[in-house]
Amino acid sequence: MTDSPPSVPPPPAEGGGLGSRLNWLRAAVLGANDGIVSTAGLVVGVAGATESQAALLTAGLSGLLAGSLSMAAGEYVSVSVQRDSEDAALATERRELHDSPAEELDELTALLTARGLTPDVAREAAEQLTVRDALRAHARVELGIDPDALTNPWHAAWASFLAFTAGALLPLLAIVLPPASVRLWVTVASVLAALALTGWWAARLAAAPAPRGTLRTVAGGALAMAVTYAAGSLLGAAGV
């Protein structure tokens, strides 16, 4: 046998590395997009009913806090479920390695063979990987989990909170800082420009056609603002 294990086709990674960084970046872009659209819809709707800067600031801040906390809580719960599943899968694998090491070695050999290695080379690789770290080998090859890069619910929650807040600040500032005569148009223009940027970025990260993704994102935001502004105008006209 050689001193180092043969080259093994990489397992599907769920944890660290480039894929993980891209997932976090994509989540940040989408979180910021949610903050932009939801807060813009809220403040534009209120602007349709009143020109009061205090009312706009109150509505915008309330929407920012409610949205960012909701996003953080939802992400924490979602990632906690994923982390629990990963921990349970690793615990099961650890128990199986303890109770049936020979069967687990055969299973690892079969998995490596299925990835394109010859049976002899797969066996050699499985044996060396098992000697080095059996649990890590099975986690990566069999489960697609990197034990050193398990998802962290708190990191996900904070990332969602900050991304949403960053996105929500744009329409909030755009609606309260300019003069009353232009604040609506400044907000709409700022929001559409920001949505064009996040739509383009999200499309690039997903390796999708950028023009279509950008247009879809901008159209969705424009529709949201149009609907909420109409609703606010109707409610304002009705004296609600």
Side-chain angles (χ1 to χ4, degrees):
M1 290 187 180
T2 59
D3 292 333
S4 59
S7 176
V8 178
E14 301 289 344
L18 179 60
S20 178
R21 290 193 294 272
L22 287 177
N23 285 337
W24 281 108
L25 186 55
R26 185 178 295 112
V29 171
L30 295 179
N33 186 78
D34 286 344
I36 294 170
V37 174
S38 61
T39 306
L42 178 61
V43 297
V44 166
V46 174
T50 179
E51 294 185 355
S52 170
Q53 187 180 49
L56 292 170
L57 180 60
T58 300
L61 282 175
S62 298
L64 184 154
L65 289 174
S68 59
L69 291 173
S70 175
M71 287 282 291
E75 194 70 11
Y76 178 83
V77 171
S78 175
V79 175
S80 291
V81 172
Q82 179 182 343
R83 178 61 181 267
D84 290 344
S85 299
E86 292 172 341
D87 288 338
L90 290 174
T92 299
E93 198 62 42
R94 188 179 292 109
R95 184 173 61 253
E96 291 175 347
L97 285 167
H98 179 270
D99 296 340
S100 309
E103 288 81 353
E104 289 300 299
L105 179 60
D106 291 340
E107 182 181 31
L108 183 58
T109 301
L111 289 169
L112 294 176
T113 302
R115 292 180 184 278
L117 299 181
T118 64
D120 290 342
V121 173
R123 186 68 176 190
E124 180 182 348
E127 289 174 350
Q128 294 194 36
L129 290 171
T130 297
V131 169
R132 288 188 175 186
D133 193 323
L135 179 61
R136 180 173 283 103
H138 280 267
R140 292 183 61 82
V141 177
E142 180 181 350
L143 305 175
I145 296 174
D146 184 351
D148 296 323
L150 297 179
T151 51
N152 187 309
W154 286 108
H155 290 172
W158 276 110
S160 294
F161 179 88
L162 293 175
F164 187 96
T165 299
L169 281 173
L170 173 68
L172 174 59
L173 295 177
I175 201 73
V176 299
L177 293 182
S181 59
V182 297
R183 64 169 49 128
L184 180 61
W185 299 111
V186 169
T187 301
V188 171
S190 300
V191 167
L192 294 181
L195 289 177
L197 178 60
T198 59
W200 175 84
W201 200 355
R204 291 296 300 272
L205 289 173
R212 184 172 61 187
T214 302
L215 178 61
R216 185 168 52 218
T217 304
V218 171
L223 178 61
M225 288 188 289
V227 170
T228 55
Y229 182 77
S233 297
L234 291 174
L235 291 173
V240 178

